[in-house]
Amino acid sequence: MKRLSKEDLTQMNRDYFQSLDKQKLVEVAGNLHKLAVEQLEKLEQNSSNSSLPPSSDQFKSKEKLAVQSEQQTEHSESETKSKQEEKQVSPISEKLKSKGFGKKLPGKQKGAKGIWRTTPLVASEIVSHHPETCASCNSPLEIDSDAKPHMGYYVLELENLDSGIEVKCRLHHYYQATCACGHHTKEKPLFGYVSVVEGRSKDLCLQEYGLVGPMLATFIASLAVRYRMSRPKIRELLNDWVGVSLCVGTIDRCIREVGIACSPVVEELIEELQSAEIIHLDETPWYEKGQYRWLWVAITSTIAVYHIGSRRKEELLRLISQAFVGWLVTDGYGAYINYPKRQHCLAHLIRKAIALTEAVDKEVADLGQWLLEELRELIHELATGDGDKDETDSNPARLYRVCRLATVGEHTKLKALANEILNDWDAVVACFYNPQLPPTNNEAERALRHAVIARRISYGTRTAEGSLAYCSILSVIETCRLRKVDPWAYIAMILTQARRGIKHPPIPIAS
Ligand SMILES: [Zn+2]
């Protein structure tokens, strides 16, 4: 027997059931039961009882659904929003705990045998650092050719040659000199910002003294953030292809250092953001050591800023301050609703309308189709500029009418969509009256795409410092790309400066 189709279901309703005699009713109920069982079984499929991949499990696990509903009450403002992302929320913390994570700290365990370099590094070049002036009386100092260095260290640095990249090893020697005034001046490597994290045994200091040069550190950060590689994979790649052997800890330190060097640049970008004319805003779930967080993005034509935090309105003020007077392009999420100059993303509404056109109930499907056509025409009119300007029969007027019609119906999803449009009416049609406004929030969604994939590979970040590093690096990379500036040369430069305690230059503005 064939399975009941959508057309079959459309014809069935209460009146039809009542018209049937008992024997027929049993037959119909049997068919409906069969369909229900089939669908239920499909719902309960996961990687352990079918050929579905394990990655699909997070959408279906029951305990996850329970936590999801908890989160939905917690973020009650988010009710207006029904994007795919919300369904992916999973209680990673619970899962990690049950697997024994969280008890064990990352890195080398107590009593484990350490790993160290077995063959010493060989320098291809020696770089000498002599003091130029006396630290006490400022007189110029002469280089003493017989002097012995008081300290030295190796630096591995990535060089961009015409024929490709190469990693060079240099030995840096630091010398002491004695002035005529009798003062001994020692030349020392410089140092910059110190990042303090409570509970960490050693603070992270940005300094010249270190094995990895700025360009190699930038390369490592690019592999991690831009190419989404794990620390162990980066270690493998450097060892197998570049002939550089670094431990995972050093690799992690490089990424953090780059993040710390980038974060003051991002502070400036946020300030610049406040004078923008149009900002696209969006957010997606993020995990920080299994805790549920949100990754926000604010993007204009020349600035991209990412931020990891909660989903509250106050968090938004980190990105968009009171000083901002331009337009926001957003989806229907509640945190944005009080901002007056706003465009509600039409693509979101169109996707919801498309879902309605596939509804079983024909009346609902027809109304959904009408809504969809009106929304599409609104965008089409914006693109071509040949819509009806007549007040009573303009695109917005027709859209308004179909929404009012839809609110009267019984169908919850149709009513919800119509109410979403009507409750945020000014923001939905803002682009109709302000042609400079983009009708969709595609810019922000595209800007989040990279991070969404990264989240699914790595399950987010582990610490607040790691989150800050990730956001800062991503912000600088994306801003450089928007301005058509080489992000890697810029980041290597600001890291060099940060290790010397010198303030960074701003990212050049696109010409
Ligand atoms: Zn002196």
Side-chain angles (χ1 to χ4, degrees):
M1 193 189 61
K2 264 168 60 182
R3 193 178 63 178
L4 287 168
S5 71
K6 203 154 123 184
E7 285 73 37
D8 299 328
L9 289 173
T10 317
Q11 296 166 43
M12 292 180 189
N13 54 29
R14 191 166 274 272
D15 293 339
Y16 169 68
F17 295 135
Q18 265 160 356
S19 72
L20 297 173
D21 62 48
K22 199 181 168 193
Q23 200 188 351
K24 283 236 170 84
L25 198 60
V26 171
E27 279 295 307
V28 173
N31 287 340
L32 286 169
H33 178 255
K34 198 178 157 202
L35 180 69
V37 168
E38 203 182 300
Q39 291 307 307
L40 191 73
E41 281 169 351
K42 206 169 164 189
L43 265 177
E44 284 175 350
Q45 267 181 3
N46 58 42
S47 63
S48 64
N49 60 16
S50 74
S51 53
L52 285 171
S55 61
S56 66
D57 289 354
Q58 56 173 324
F59 305 106
K60 292 183 175 173
S61 139
K62 273 182 196 158
E63 57 177 66
K64 276 165 195 168
L65 285 175
V67 171
Q68 187 187 330
S69 64
E70 237 177 69
Q71 266 149 0
Q72 267 171 358
T73 43
E74 195 179 315
H75 303 278
S76 57
E77 328 165 273
S78 68
E79 274 171 8
T80 44
K81 189 160 178 156
S82 67
K83 52 199 292 189
Q84 194 72 24
E85 299 297 344
E86 291 213 332
K87 292 176 194 148
Q88 297 175 11
V89 172
S90 64
I92 298 298
S93 50
E94 294 300 313
K95 197 173 162 188
L96 292 183
K97 264 180 214 158
S98 68
K99 280 193 177 173
F101 286 95
K103 294 169 200 156
K104 200 173 97 176
L105 286 170
K108 180 179 166 290
Q109 302 302 303
K110 249 185 191 172
K113 192 169 176 279
I115 303 168
W116 50 87
R117 207 172 286 283
T118 45
T119 46
L121 291 161
V122 181
S124 61
E125 197 185 321
I126 293 175
V127 186
S128 305
H129 301 265
H130 293 276
E132 284 176 3
T133 55
C134 170
S136 172
C137 72
N138 295 336
S139 322
L141 294 171
E142 280 178 24
I143 293 172
D144 177 5
S145 51
D146 297 332
K148 292 245 173 341
H150 67 87
M151 72 174 290
Y153 58 91
Y154 291 98
V155 173
L156 296 170
E157 181 60 318
L158 188 90
E159 313 255 301
N160 263 316
L161 307 172
D162 290 338
S163 54
I165 54 168
E166 187 191 333
V167 173
K168 275 207 167 161
C169 179
R170 290 197 183 85
L171 179 59
H172 287 251
H173 274 160
Y174 284 79
Y175 290 87
Q176 173 180 311
T178 307
C179 174
C181 77
H183 187 83
H184 305 291
T185 304
K186 270 183 180 173
E187 184 71 0
K188 283 178 187 165
L190 298 170
F191 61 91
Y193 183 77
V194 181
S195 168
V196 183
V197 172
E198 226 176 285
R200 183 159 64 184
S201 56
K202 202 174 162 195
D203 292 329
L204 175 59
C205 177
L206 265 61
Q207 53 184 347
E208 288 187 305
Y209 176 78
L211 179 63
V212 184
M215 199 58 180
L216 184 57
T218 306
F219 178 60
I220 289 170
S222 83
L223 292 178
V225 177
R226 180 71 198 160
Y227 304 104
R228 306 186 197 103
M229 281 168 73
S230 66
R231 272 63 164 167
K233 280 270 168 63
I234 295 173
R235 176 172 175 237
E236 191 184 311
L237 179 124
L238 289 176
N239 193 53
D240 294 359
W241 290 93
V242 195
V244 171
S245 139
L246 294 177
C247 68
V248 170
T250 307
I251 288 167
D252 185 60
R253 186 196 156 98
C254 290
I255 300 163
R256 276 161 202 263
E257 273 193 73
V258 171
I260 292 167
C262 285
S263 70
V265 181
V266 178
E267 291 299 321
E268 282 184 5
L269 289 179
I270 292 176
E271 260 172 58
E272 267 182 64
L273 206 57
Q274 309 315 315
S275 53
E277 276 173 39
I278 300 168
I279 299 179
H280 290 262
L281 268 177
D282 203 3
E283 76 290 328
T284 184
W286 190 258
Y287 316 117
E288 193 180 283
K289 205 176 181 186
Q291 271 193 341
Y292 196 69
R293 311 284 277 164
W294 289 88
L295 175 73
W296 296 79
V297 66
I299 187 166
T300 72
S301 54
T302 55
I303 306 165
V305 176
Y306 295 81
H307 170 66
I308 291 173
S310 74
R311 207 190 181 192
R312 288 201 301 272
K313 279 182 203 169
E314 296 84 78
E315 209 74 54
L316 197 59
L317 287 173
R318 282 265 309 133
L319 294 172
I320 310 295
S321 75
Q322 310 275 347
F324 178 67
V325 291
W327 285 91
L328 287 183
V329 182
T330 69
D331 50 29
Y333 175 45
Y336 310 124
I337 233 126
N338 290 332
Y339 190 82
K341 283 174 77 180
R342 195 163 46 82
Q343 170 62 45
H344 191 126
C345 173
L346 294 185
H348 273 82
L349 300 173
I350 286 178
R351 282 200 288 270
K352 287 180 190 173
I354 288 175
L356 286 171
T357 61
E358 288 152 13
V360 171
D361 188 325
K362 187 153 184 333
E363 231 174 279
V364 173
D366 286 348
L367 265 175
Q369 185 65 36
W370 188 7
L371 236 167
L372 177 65
E373 275 164 26
E374 288 301 342
L375 284 167
R376 280 190 172 150
E377 249 178 66
L378 199 64
I379 291 190
H380 179 75
E381 198 283 326
L382 286 172
T384 57
D386 61 355
D388 309 301
K389 292 285 177 200
D390 177 12
E391 273 295 304
T392 52
D393 198 40
S394 62
N395 296 83
R398 286 200 303 268
L399 180 63
Y400 192 85
R401 278 204 294 275
V402 55
C403 286
R404 288 308 294 264
L405 256 174
T407 50
V408 194
E410 291 287 311
H411 198 268
T412 39
K413 276 193 177 164
L414 179 65
K415 260 167 92 168
L417 176 59
N419 280 325
E420 183 182 343
I421 296 174
L422 292 175
N423 291 341
D424 205 16
W425 180 250
D426 290 341
V428 171
V429 295
C431 61
F432 188 80
Y433 301 104
N434 304 275
Q436 83 280 15
L437 280 179
T440 69
N441 201 16
N442 293 352
E443 298 297 322
E445 282 175 27
R446 221 169 318 175
L448 280 180
R449 196 71 212 126
H450 176 88
V452 169
I453 298 167
R455 178 193 68 208
R456 299 192 66 173
I457 294 173
S458 67
Y459 276 122
T461 42
R462 278 194 183 170
T463 60
E465 194 185 61
S467 295
L468 183 68
Y470 184 76
C471 285
S472 303
I473 298 171
L474 211 56
S475 304
V476 172
I477 295 173
E478 286 306 314
T479 303
C480 283
R481 295 173 85 83
L482 286 172
R483 298 183 185 188
K484 302 193 167 48
V485 174
D486 175 5
W488 315 121
Y490 177 76
I491 292 175
M493 192 251 295
I494 59 170
L495 180 59
T496 311
Q497 307 270 57
R499 283 178 171 182
R500 291 175 184 160
I502 305 168
K503 194 183 177 295
H504 65 272
I507 304 177
I509 298 285
S511 50

